[in-house]
Amino acid sequence: MFYTLNDLFAKLGLPNSPAAIEAFIEKHRPLPQAEPLASATFWTAEQAAFLREARQEYSDWAEVVDELNCLLRD
């Protein structure tokens, strides 16, 4: 299955319109290179746990989580 950023934001319980996603990324970047995505202070415990699991298990969510990770670092 292929998930989009809109799907990921919905899964995380965040507003998922293109404008809301863009605003979130602008607000929270740049994330320091040494800080793991799931360790960022702006996530809830549940969101952070999901992000860790999505990357560890190479789930269907891994690719879009990596995309978000890149967007927050640019």
Side-chain angles (χ1 to χ4, degrees):
M1 175 155 236
F2 177 75
Y3 290 107
T4 65
L5 280 175
N6 298 74
D7 297 327
L8 178 59
F9 273 68
K11 178 76 171 168
L12 293 170
L14 298 169
N16 68 336
S17 71
I21 293 170
E22 185 176 327
F24 179 92
I25 291 167
E26 288 302 316
K27 178 179 180 182
H28 296 294
R29 71 186 241 201
L31 190 62
Q33 289 296 330
E35 183 175 5
L37 177 63
S39 297
T41 59
F42 48 82
W43 302 121
T44 65
E46 294 81 13
Q47 290 168 332
F50 173 77
L51 292 168
R52 275 192 291 279
E53 288 174 20
R55 295 188 81 198
Q56 286 179 352
E57 299 173 11
Y58 202 77
S59 72
D60 290 340
W61 292 98
E63 189 172 321
V64 72
V65 170
D66 286 342
E67 180 182 355
L68 177 60
N69 185 42
C70 290
L71 290 169
L72 285 168
R73 302 200 190 262
D74 288 342

